[in-house]
Amino acid sequence: MGNRKKMKTKSASDTAPKGVAIYHDMKVYENFERAANRIFECVQSAQKTRPGAPRHLYLDIQGHRNSQGGFDHDALELMQEFIIGYLGKYLTTINMPLLHGSNTVPQRNDLPEALMIGYPDDGSDYGYEVSDLSPKPREKFPIDRKSPPSVRAIADYLGIDDPACLVCWRTPVERAHVVPTSLGGSMDVRNFALLCKGHHSEAPDVADAESFWAWVDYAELRDSPDKWLDASDDQKEWLARNGVKIGIGQREPMSFFSAVKGELKSLYGWSESDFLNIDWQHLMDEFHQVMESATGRHFSIEKKASTYAWAYHIARQRCTDRDGRALPIPRLGKELQRHAHKAPTIAKS
């Protein structure tokens, strides 16, 4: 079986350099913030486990293309501003689509304890504008077409060898709009994901593309043990020896609002105190406005926990008027960690 995702570029050489190799594949559902945090955490881990050892970063990118076929803003910002402009001094070599090279000075090992990502107050286009609740697709200049692209075309854009669900790798798959057409979404290939029927029925129907992709990221971590259910017995034995959970098993049934609350905590970072300190009357007024103006209903599914969670989160932003926007999700909440299995990212040579 194995991972269905194919690498678009071949980064590593046949003979690995001595030191610590750090590999990250920026998935289409990762934004700049989550990819940067994950790479930074890997570099931190390498420094803690092998202090001062040469670090070699390998980066691949899936999706994240603009209308001309080049990299989109998030991918360019990750490579140019973050890896080259900031992280490069803590590495010995960098291997990614834009650059293959060695540091001209010895790598630094004085990494900061945490990565702080700030946003310029200059009218830059980031986050979701909560004031007007308008559609915010990922692609600024969608290709004008009347019919949806083929599953094969979507798989090619996503960087998948065999069309499979982005969350659980199961087949068959369905074409899932990122921003629904009813909310202004296009038929551009960049406005589609591939999901199995079950995860398609769970995915949010909202006006903000990045929130859809953040949900896919969240669901992929939450349901990752199910990826290995179709593995061979030998693969399952190897996975078990290495502490990988196979199969989620029977989940405890929960009420609809409990499911919404779980997503608010895991995906949007709400704490218990946030639920206690809200003016619920004001919040519900804003919630119904968000639901009416910026969400849709897919396949006649009356209620989706993911759509409701997004609407509550946006309503809360409208109540507090925090800069008039909901910021991109930098990382997924700690509530997910008991569900998630992260494949080994750091390989020692």
Side-chain angles (χ1 to χ4, degrees):
M1 180 185 141
N3 195 326
R4 296 178 185 269
K5 312 285 175 65
K6 71 178 178 183
M7 287 184 246
K8 288 292 192 180
T9 59
K10 186 175 181 181
S11 301
S13 60
D14 293 334
T15 304
K18 296 193 177 192
V20 181
I22 303 168
Y23 175 77
H24 185 77
D25 189 1
M26 185 186 189
K27 304 293 194 300
V28 68
Y29 46 77
E30 285 184 296
N31 62 2
F32 163 79
E33 287 81 1
R34 290 193 300 282
N37 272 297
R38 287 164 178 170
I39 294 170
F40 180 78
E41 288 168 1
C42 288
V43 175
Q44 270 191 327
S45 176
Q47 171 60 17
K48 289 176 181 177
T49 56
R50 293 191 61 190
R55 291 183 286 271
H56 310 279
L57 177 65
Y58 299 89
L59 176 72
D60 278 307
I61 295 176
Q62 295 180 3
H64 289 288
R65 296 285 176 170
N66 60 27
S67 57
Q68 287 76 44
F71 291 110
D72 67 10
H73 176 77
D74 272 16
L76 284 175
E77 187 176 12
L78 184 75
M79 290 187 283
Q80 294 177 335
E81 305 300 326
F82 177 65
I83 294 178
I84 297 176
Y86 172 74
L87 195 65
K89 57 182 172 286
Y90 303 112
L91 302 168
T92 292
T93 64
I94 297 172
N95 303 272
M96 60 185 184
L98 284 188
L99 174 70
H100 295 262
S102 301
N103 206 330
T104 57
V105 296
Q107 102 181 355
R108 287 175 51 175
N109 298 308
D110 55 338
L111 278 83
E113 287 297 316
L115 179 66
M116 305 299 293
I117 297 176
Y119 298 91
D121 187 18
D122 59 1
S124 299
D125 183 25
Y126 60 87
Y128 181 73
E129 295 288 347
V130 301
S131 56
D132 57 12
L133 299 177
S134 59
K136 188 176 177 61
R138 177 178 276 184
E139 68 285 355
K140 294 183 180 179
F141 305 102
I143 295 173
D144 185 19
R145 54 180 295 155
K146 303 301 182 185
S147 59
S150 67
V151 168
R152 181 67 263 167
I154 299 170
D156 288 342
Y157 170 70
L158 297 174
I160 300 175
D161 239 346
D162 303 314
C165 178
L166 287 173
V167 173
C168 65
W169 300 352
R170 311 304 285 274
T171 59
V173 293
E174 299 177 349
R175 293 172 290 193
H177 278 93
V178 177
V179 175
T181 54
S182 61
L183 297 174
S186 73
M187 292 293 183
D188 190 299
V189 69
R190 293 167 294 165
N191 193 45
F192 284 87
L194 293 179
L195 299 173
C196 65
K197 184 176 182 179
H199 286 115
H200 195 180
S201 68
E202 288 185 57
D205 299 318
V206 299
D208 180 26
E210 290 305 334
S211 292
F212 174 94
W213 289 119
W215 182 88
V216 173
D217 196 357
Y218 154 81
E220 192 271 338
L221 283 173
R222 181 195 66 186
D223 297 347
S224 63
D226 278 355
K227 292 175 179 176
W228 311 113
L229 289 175
D230 294 334
S232 68
D233 290 341
D234 288 344
Q235 287 174 322
K236 287 181 179 177
E237 183 181 350
W238 184 90
L239 291 166
R241 286 202 309 269
N242 286 274
V244 178
K245 183 179 179 182
I246 301 171
I248 294 172
Q250 187 68 33
R251 282 201 180 103
E252 292 184 13
M254 63 175 64
S255 67
F256 180 76
F257 187 73
S258 293
V260 173
K261 183 178 180 181
E263 290 206 9
L264 285 170
K265 294 173 69 175
S266 295
L267 181 51
Y268 298 106
W270 285 35
S271 64
E272 285 293 340
S273 62
D274 291 324
F275 292 93
L276 298 174
N277 298 327
I278 287 175
D279 179 345
W280 281 95
Q281 182 174 347
H282 186 192
L283 180 75
M284 292 308 297
D285 288 342
E286 296 293 348
F287 168 79
H288 288 298
Q289 180 63 39
V290 175
M291 288 292 291
E292 181 179 347
S293 302
T295 71
R297 189 174 68 180
H298 213 167
F299 299 134
S300 299
I301 298 174
E302 192 64 38
K303 295 197 299 186
K304 284 187 177 184
S306 59
T307 299
Y308 271 58
W310 181 81
Y312 275 117
H313 182 62
I314 298 302
R316 180 183 172 213
Q317 301 297 314
R318 287 168 65 85
C319 288
T320 58
D321 194 30
R322 187 182 301 166
D323 297 325
R325 71 182 74 222
L327 297 179
I329 299 171
R331 60 179 72 232
L332 299 176
K334 293 181 179 178
E335 297 285 325
L336 271 182
Q337 297 311 310
R338 66 175 180 271
H339 300 296
H341 160 66
K342 293 184 179 178
T345 309
I346 299 175
K348 298 176 183 178
S349 59

